[in-house]
């Protein structure tokens, strides 16, 4: 029970201030990764190899299941295109989908701050109900805790989910191979900009809505069509760049992207310029990448488009050649994408 | 997505101030119940009948599973006999056990406050590792979020768990029958008093340790022995009284208890007197009640004692006769136990 146990890992967690948690530890970038690799992995020795993965998969009495958890601390609670309730349902639905599973059952853990308006709680709970219905999952168990005023921020939600594994083979960075195509399911950056605009009271000409949406159906269609899914990843904290860097590092491959193929809607691009944000690192809540054999690329794009996604092939996988990097080909040349070292936008989900 | 949706329930949540969340909404007593019944149940229409139950049970492809979630906001984080990490593992292990399941896999969702000491996080994570090992469960998936300083209280943990259902028949208040015996697994009130003492800096002659412990093994032994378990409930927020009132109301039965049979350790009793607390309502984290047919009562006590529990029969179930109440027989007569209307001790788990 003490940190001085001989089994306890002794390596320090580097951070700007060294010994306390910073916002960037929750940002999905470099500090999050160090926390996972240096603190959680040694302690949870039996955890699966890839702790950056969206969920765990296991078998109980012959039934193959996926299991995932996510806490939601988004600020503000309500934003164009959704609220913390829609986010909490779709986020965990999507984590299960990225494991190649059909999401079935969700749990809901609420941490409420004393003084929180019950009308707002009712609105969030109703959003959860609607999002669950739309995603075809059932909210079956829950828990409510209340903390004193000033010890929370209105409402935090944890959802965990259980799903039936549909994919016969593992869907994981380890299966990504040189030659694979990288398919992106739609345009990027909408969720992060919607949150930022709501938070800062920025009024854009046309309001930007979050892309928050369930992704289980398109994944299911890909699996049913027999597409060989090597890896799936939804683009949340840290955006497209962080997701692909994680996959490249875990799978020990290089990824070459074509910047011109990556769609950023004009209002999102404009907002990113004003706010000084790189859309490649801005959060999404209804977009994912699929890494599939080149032979399956065209079919993957076609299936996703039939599901209403604006999918495009944005690049391909190469041998790492000693550096598991993501390279972005632009008009002006090629640049290597780095993992975020700070926190671009805290409390985005 | 709005509270004005025609499907949204319109009934108000009564509360002292009427329209905002109070600490008592998280206390497990009357306000928690109203929140569940008037807000969560109408919104989560597909949820199982008994939302006060410790978890959900369902079947996927022929495999019968239990699924449970709990958020932990205990203050202080470290206390005699455990910390928030041991609590978070054992609490969810116990919720699964109370469904009649073998706990197998746990998820961990952390909400960290900016500035939290990484040494403390390491200590908590190590406690979770040890508690998981002791309970025979695997921590397989996780999530970390960080909120700004002043928007949390160091560390909140959600754990959710999946287990294999062992019991052939449902274990639920609806199965409780007049004539059933009420078996209590040990003495009560240790966890609540340990927290209170740590919080208030009270120094008792002998420090009182939390009873925090996993309960999966004793439940497993009862099921393996073929004991007909009608209902199981671990005694957390609200203590023994609240657990039994919930069972009586949901199962529509009366429960008659013998005060003399309920063991309260002398230091706990003394602390309760000093603090003005009723031990029947004080939280526990390693105690449970089993409601079984009278014919199984003696065997249940014997099996639990072989597992190291100090089990005793404390009462029996009667017909409700119009009032699903819990009556406590004392030397001086009989009193009806009421559900807590306020918050006896906030943030106990």
């Amino acid at each position: 029970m003490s940190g001085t146990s001989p089994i306890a890992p002794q390596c320090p967690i580097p951070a700007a201030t060294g010994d306390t948690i910073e916002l960037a530890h929750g940002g999905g970038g470099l500090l999050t990764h160090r926390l996972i690799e240096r603190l959680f992995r040694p302690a949870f020795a039996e955890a699966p190899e890839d702790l950056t993965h969206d969920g765990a998969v296991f078998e109980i009495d012959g039934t193959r299941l996926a299991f995932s958890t996510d806490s939601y601390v988004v600020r503000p609670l309500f934003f164009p295109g959704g609220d913390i309730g829609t986010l909490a349902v779709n986020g965990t639905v999507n984590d299960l989908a990225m494991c190649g599973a059909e999401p079935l059952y969700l749990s809901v853990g609420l941490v409420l701050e004393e003084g929180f308006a019950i009308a707002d709680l009712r609105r969030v709970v109703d959003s959860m109900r609607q999002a669950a219905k739309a995603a075809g999952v059932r909210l079956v168990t829950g828990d409510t805790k209340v903390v004193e005023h000033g010890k929370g921020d209105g409402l935090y939600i944890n959802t965990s989910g259980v799903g039936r594994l549909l994919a016969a083979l593992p869907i994981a960075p380890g299966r990504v191979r040189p030659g694979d195509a990288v398919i992106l399911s739609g345009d990027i950056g909408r969720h992060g900009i919607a949150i930022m605009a709501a938070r800062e009271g920025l009024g854009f000409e046309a309001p930007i809505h979050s892309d928050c949406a369930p992704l289980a159906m398109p994944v299911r269609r890909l699996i049913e069509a027999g597409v060989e899914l090597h890896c799936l990843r939804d683009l949340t904290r840290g955006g497209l760049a962080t997701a692909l860097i994680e996959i490249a590092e875990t799978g020990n491959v290089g990824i070459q992207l074509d910047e011109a193929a990556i769609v950023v809607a004009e209002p999102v691009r404009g907002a990113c310029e004003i706010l000084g944000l790189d859309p490649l690192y801005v959060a999404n809540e209804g977009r994912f990448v699929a890494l599939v054999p080149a032979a399956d690329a065209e079919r993957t794009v076609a299936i996703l488009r039939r599901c209403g996604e604006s999918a495009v092939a944005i690049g391909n996988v190469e041998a790492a050649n000693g550096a598991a990097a993501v390279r972005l080909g632009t008009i002006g040349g090629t640049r290597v994408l780095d993992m975020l070292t700070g926190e671009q936008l805290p409390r985005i989900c």
Side-chain angles (χ1 to χ4, degrees), chain A residues 256-261 328-335:
Chain A
Q256 176 72 38
L257 298 178
D258 174 15
E259 188 183 42
L328 183 74
T330 64
I331 294 172
T334 292
R335 68 178 172 103

Side-chain angles (χ1 to χ4, degrees), chain A residues 205-220:
Chain A
E205 270 177 48
I208 296 164
H209 283 68
S210 166
D211 53 274
C212 181
L215 298 169
M217 200 268 282
V219 169
R220 190 187 179 116

Side-chain angles (χ1 to χ4, degrees), chain A residues 8-13 37-39 42:
Chain A
Q10 299 297 330
C11 52
I13 308 290
E37 292 305 321
R38 301 187 188 184
L39 198 147

